[in-house]
Amino acid sequence: MIGASSRRATGVFALSDIHADLQQNMAWLEALSPGDYTEAALILAGDVSDSLATLREALACLRSKFAQVFFVPGNHELWVRRKECPDSIAKFWRIVQLCDALGIHTRPAKVGEGRGNPGVWIVPLFTWYVQPEEGQGSLFVVKPGEDPTLQMWSDKYFTVWPPLPTSMRVADYFLRLNEPHVANRYDAPVISFSHFLPRRELIFSTNEERQTAGVLQHDPHPRFNFSRVAGCTGIDTQIRRLGSVVHVYGHQHRNRNRLIDGVRYVSHCLGYPHERAKGLMRGLADGPALIWESPVTF
Ligand SMILES: [Fe+2]
Ligand SMILES: [Fe+2]
């Protein structure tokens, strides 16, 4: 699907963590076929850039190639190290406005309806992670030797959170924004998506995945415990209330496709060039992952 050869597709594609600040990644986006996806939708599950200018450029590029684009910010979008916004919540709303201006969906919309086909609803879920010290809902798993101060985790330095109402955690702020959409009744199947992980088991590779991929045999960061910042269980609660048939997520840079209790969880990250060089990002040769085929053009 990359390049000039035509493999025109109708349906919904998934992609995340394109980290377009990196020249190789922006080039990957620009090399996506200008014609293959003009009748398809793209779910882009966060982590494009912390620069608003780069975010705009990458989103506009994808908007020019796909009939519909859906987006939620990841943690990188909410960094404020460039002083473009006073805090991470203000930046979040600035990004929602940017998406509105570009014609990119950050709210539920139905695609693929017509000619007797019911179509499919795509429901963005705004999310953040819950750390174990914050109470219930963390995906935390104990890791011997970890550094709980997260000294090597950039969010620690680059996010700024304004005062939130008493007892409201950052994750709660975002999950509450989803409530009206989660409470809705939908007249077609639902595909939801978030940047962060909704379930603890998705953090870990299965034996089969370890055997079929060139997955690292050693821990590159023995003191860093990803589960501390992976996501939260509140996301899966919303997925189950929605009755999602597929949920797309990103953040970990580990590509998955697993059916768990009736929901298919798909992560299809572009990731960093050095991760691709190690074979960590499976399935990228075909471009974004097709997760929902449709007989109807979008
Ligand atoms: Fe990422
Ligand atoms: Fe992320």
Side-chain angles (χ1 to χ4, degrees):
M1 296 184 191
I2 301 173
S5 65
S6 180
R7 292 175 58 189
R8 211 160 203 195
T10 57
V12 180
F13 288 81
L15 184 64
S16 74
D17 296 85
I18 58 178
H19 293 286
D21 317 86
L22 297 161
Q23 194 277 329
Q24 283 182 58
N25 283 16
M26 188 64 96
W28 189 94
L29 287 188
E30 289 169 346
L32 288 173
S33 164
D36 286 359
Y37 306 105
T38 55
E39 297 174 353
L42 177 69
I43 289 174
L44 184 63
D47 270 8
V48 173
S49 174
D50 68 289
S51 154
L52 287 170
T54 305
L55 176 63
R56 176 193 291 273
E57 184 183 350
L59 290 176
C61 172
L62 290 167
R63 184 71 188 84
S64 73
K65 295 173 191 276
F66 286 82
Q68 311 273 352
V69 177
F70 293 75
F71 178 69
V72 293
N75 48 316
H76 283 241
E77 274 73 52
L78 301 191
W79 292 357
V80 290
R81 62 176 170 165
R82 297 172 199 268
K83 314 288 186 213
E84 293 171 307
C85 295
D87 62 56
S88 296
I89 298 279
K91 191 157 184 217
F92 168 82
W93 289 112
R94 181 109 173 251
I95 291 167
V96 170
Q97 285 180 343
L98 171 66
C99 289
D100 287 346
L102 291 171
I104 287 175
H105 301 281
T106 56
R107 301 171 191 85
K110 186 154 75 166
V111 296
E113 184 181 22
R115 298 205 315 256
N117 192 299
V120 61
W121 280 94
I122 299 180
V123 180
L125 294 179
F126 301 131
T127 57
W128 196 256
Y129 45 80
V130 173
Q131 295 192 50
E133 297 77 15
E134 293 182 285
Q136 290 195 326
S138 176
L139 302 185
F140 180 69
V141 179
V142 173
K143 175 176 175 177
E146 72 163 295
D147 171 14
T149 65
L150 288 175
Q151 293 299 317
M152 69 166 291
W153 184 239
S154 298
D155 290 358
K156 176 183 169 75
Y157 308 100
F158 300 148
T159 56
V160 173
W161 302 107
L164 295 174
T166 308
S167 80
M168 182 185 278
R169 304 170 299 187
V170 172
D172 299 328
Y173 176 85
F174 290 113
L175 289 172
R176 284 187 201 189
L177 296 178
N178 306 328
E179 267 305 315
H181 304 146
V182 173
N184 245 347
R185 287 182 162 259
Y186 294 95
D187 59 0
V190 170
I191 296 173
S192 52
F193 72 103
S194 59
H195 179 64
F196 297 99
L197 280 69
R199 295 177 70 98
R200 184 175 288 136
E201 65 263 56
L202 291 169
I203 298 172
F204 303 100
S205 302
T206 62
N207 284 336
E208 186 185 350
E209 286 167 344
R210 274 191 286 272
Q211 283 164 9
T212 56
V215 176
L216 288 174
Q217 297 300 310
H218 66 282
D219 184 344
H221 304 296
R223 300 204 68 205
F224 178 61
N225 184 347
F226 175 76
S227 72
R228 188 173 280 280
V229 295
C232 63
T233 60
I235 305 169
D236 208 50
T237 301
Q238 294 193 332
I239 292 169
R240 300 287 157 174
R241 285 172 60 202
L242 281 165
S244 305
V245 291
V246 181
H247 183 79
V248 176
Y249 68 96
H251 187 49
Q252 194 186 5
H253 300 201
R254 297 289 184 277
N255 293 351
R256 315 262 193 239
N257 186 331
R258 282 192 208 159
L259 187 64
I260 304 173
D261 296 339
V263 180
R264 181 159 296 282
Y265 295 86
V266 177
S267 185
H268 194 70
C269 304
L270 179 59
Y272 297 121
H274 70 87
E275 295 172 318
R276 295 198 291 280
K278 290 175 185 164
L280 284 170
M281 303 294 135
R282 293 176 298 150
L284 286 168
D286 288 333
L290 180 62
I291 58 164
W292 184 268
E293 289 188 78
S294 168
V296 179
T297 60
F298 296 173

